[in-house]
């Protein structure tokens, strides 16, 4: 699928893991502990979590492998229960690994806040609200995505994993929310920033272009094969990013 067209960007949708920050795989510690508690110590299944939503990860671990469709009610309930265990253990797992905020992230978020406050800058992520909050608070980024007047209150703005469903549904919810804030907003005026083929495919499914960054486990060639609007080795500095935001294609 070719990239959807891009107009000058009015809304930025940011992924979290591998795009804004790396946790050093601390999340997998929380998943392993949650799975052991839920199953009485069964062997942890092999899973590549990059680009999967938290509820998709839970569903996969429990043996539900058709992740491109909304799951049936029993599967949803089982996955939700495992996700809650994961959320409860995530904050304790984050300090156990050496993670970091990725290069240029803080500079870009500060540029958006100071120079382009009219841009919507939201999270569109496979994390749950609680999981995303834990990660962004730990790495000092929550202030850039606070939904209220008080950035110390843990309430993030964006669209998150809330059930087992295709990632495109998360992007679609974000687009609809953004359109209620910016009437007339077109998908081509949105830019998803992400690091996995799942990010690209989920955005393309609803006509949104993607700036893909090879900052985690997927190479530049792997990302380019999915036809994002642009694929870069990493997030650029603010002057280059400004030109990308303003660009049309």
């Amino acid at each position: 699928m070719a990239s959807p067209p891009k107009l000058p960007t009015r809304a930025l949708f940011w992924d979290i893991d591998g795009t804004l920050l790396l946790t050093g795989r601390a999340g997998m510690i929380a998943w392993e502990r949650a799975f052991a508690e839920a199953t009485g110590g069964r062997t942890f299944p092999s899973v590549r979590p990059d680009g999967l939503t938290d509820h998709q990860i839970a569903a996969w671990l429990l043996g539900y492998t058709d992740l491109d469709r909304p799951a049936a009610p029993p599967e949803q309930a089982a996955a939700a229960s495992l996700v809650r265990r994961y959320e409860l253990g995530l904050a304790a797992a984050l300090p156990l690994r050496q993670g970091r905020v990725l290069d240029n992230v803080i500079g870009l978020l500060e540029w958006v806040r100071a120079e382009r406050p009219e841009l919507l800058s939201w999270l569109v992520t496979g994390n749950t609200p609680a999981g995303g909050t834990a990660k962004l608070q730990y790495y000092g980024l929550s202030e850039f995505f606070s939904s209220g007047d008080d950035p110390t209150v843990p309430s993030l703005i964006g669209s998150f994993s809330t059930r087992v469903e295709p990632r495109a549904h998360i992007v679609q919810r974000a687009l609809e929310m953004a359109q209620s804030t910016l009437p007339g907003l077109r998908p081509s005026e949105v830019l998803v920033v992400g690091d996995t083929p799942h990010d690209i495919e989920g955005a393309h499914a609803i006509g949104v272009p993607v700036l893909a960054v090879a900052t985690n486990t997927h190479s530049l060639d792997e990302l380019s094969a999915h036809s994002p609007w642009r694929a870069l080795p990493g997030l650029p500095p603010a002057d280059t990013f400004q030109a990308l935001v303003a660009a049309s294609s």
Side-chain angles (χ1 to χ4, degrees), residues 7-231:
L7 293 175
T9 298
R10 300 171 65 198
L12 289 166
F13 290 171
W14 302 89
D15 178 49
I16 294 179
D17 294 280
T19 301
L20 297 177
L21 58 85
L22 297 172
T23 67
R25 315 298 276 185
M28 293 310 297
I29 297 174
W31 279 118
E32 289 170 4
R33 291 174 173 176
F35 185 79
E37 292 170 1
T39 64
R42 275 170 41 196
T43 301
F44 190 73
S46 175
V47 60
R48 185 178 186 180
D50 307 305
L52 297 181
T53 73
D54 282 345
H55 285 80
Q56 287 177 328
I57 293 171
W60 179 271
L61 293 175
L62 294 171
Y64 311 133
T65 57
D66 187 1
L67 302 180
D68 291 327
R69 63 169 181 84
E75 298 168 351
Q76 295 285 4
S81 177
L82 183 57
V83 166
R84 284 193 293 272
R85 290 178 183 270
Y86 158 79
E87 291 174 330
L88 290 172
L90 181 58
L94 289 171
L96 302 179
R97 291 288 185 270
Q98 182 65 50
R100 66 184 180 95
V101 176
L102 286 162
D103 295 344
N104 292 324
V105 164
I106 292 177
L108 291 179
L109 296 178
E110 288 178 339
W111 171 78
V112 171
R113 183 167 62 183
E115 303 296 332
R116 294 294 305 275
E118 78 282 4
L119 278 177
L120 293 187
S121 182
W122 290 358
L123 298 167
V124 177
T125 173
N127 284 270
T128 65
T133 297
K135 291 174 184 177
L136 266 66
Q137 285 190 319
Y138 184 78
Y139 286 99
L141 298 178
S142 57
E143 65 176 285
F144 295 105
F145 300 101
S146 173
S147 63
D149 295 330
D150 184 352
T152 66
V153 176
S155 180
L156 302 178
I157 190 162
S159 184
F160 303 86
S161 177
T162 57
R163 64 199 304 270
V164 183
E165 61 185 347
R167 192 181 188 94
H169 291 195
I170 299 175
V171 188
Q172 180 67 45
R173 285 197 297 272
L175 177 61
E176 292 170 357
M177 292 165 54
Q179 288 170 330
S180 69
T181 301
L182 295 176
L185 179 72
R186 290 176 281 184
S188 54
E189 296 175 307
V190 177
L191 185 63
V192 164
V193 186
D195 67 289
T196 74
H198 293 289
D199 296 322
I200 300 168
E201 292 165 359
H204 283 188
I206 62 164
V208 172
V210 178
L211 171 61
V213 288
T215 44
N216 197 9
T217 62
H218 293 280
S219 70
L220 198 58
D221 286 343
E222 286 179 288
L223 296 174
S224 296
H226 293 265
S227 302
W229 175 70
R230 294 287 188 274

